[in-house]
Amino acid sequence: MEAQKELDLLNSSLNWLVLIVSGVLLSYYATERQREALCLSLAGDREGAEAVGNVLPIRRLVSIFILLALTFFFQVSLKGEEQACLGGDPAAIRSAGRNRWAALLVLAAGVLRLFDVFESKKQFSQDEDPFF
């Protein structure tokens, strides 16, 4: 039964990692679109740059994906620490504690990123360049 729980955890971890990789690919796509818009803007084609579209919705979606995955991995670190404490091995307990802190800090960074992306607004006056 214990091996089945470990297999389930590994399967879930793989699924969350796929979500993270998907988020990275979406972020790449958004950055590519942003670069295209900047090139058009530098060439004087403001209408073309605006037609490329706003990448903010993509960035928001990616931030949500990443935060969900980071929350899962933080929960895994808490369970790992609990199991280490039950095992009684001081080195394993210290390692699990460090992993918990690392997961918490990464999760905190994800939360800050999410707030930053949702606070961003794409509102520019006609004279303002949206890329600077």
Side-chain angles (χ1 to χ4, degrees), residues 52-68:
V52 170
N54 183 2
V55 298
L56 196 53
I58 296 170
R59 297 213 182 275
R60 287 177 176 166
L61 181 64
V62 168
S63 290
I64 291 169
F65 281 2
I66 300 300
L67 190 60
L68 289 170

Side-chain angles (χ1 to χ4, degrees), residues 7-77:
L7 180 60
D8 292 344
L9 177 61
L10 289 173
N11 286 334
S12 293
S13 295
L14 287 171
N15 291 334
W16 287 107
L17 286 171
V18 166
L19 189 64
I20 289 172
V21 170
S22 299
V24 169
L25 292 174
L26 279 171
S27 185
Y28 181 88
Y29 170 70
T31 303
E32 190 67 35
R33 282 183 51 190
Q34 196 171 5
R35 180 178 69 169
E36 180 184 353
L38 179 56
C39 288
L40 289 169
S41 180
L42 290 172
D45 185 2
R46 186 164 177 84
E47 291 79 25
E50 290 175 0
V52 170
N54 183 2
V55 298
L56 196 53
I58 296 170
R59 297 213 182 275
R60 287 177 176 166
L61 181 64
V62 168
S63 290
I64 291 169
F65 281 2
I66 300 300
L67 190 60
L68 289 170
L70 294 176
T71 301
F72 168 79
F73 287 112
F74 177 66
Q75 291 172 342
V76 169
S77 75

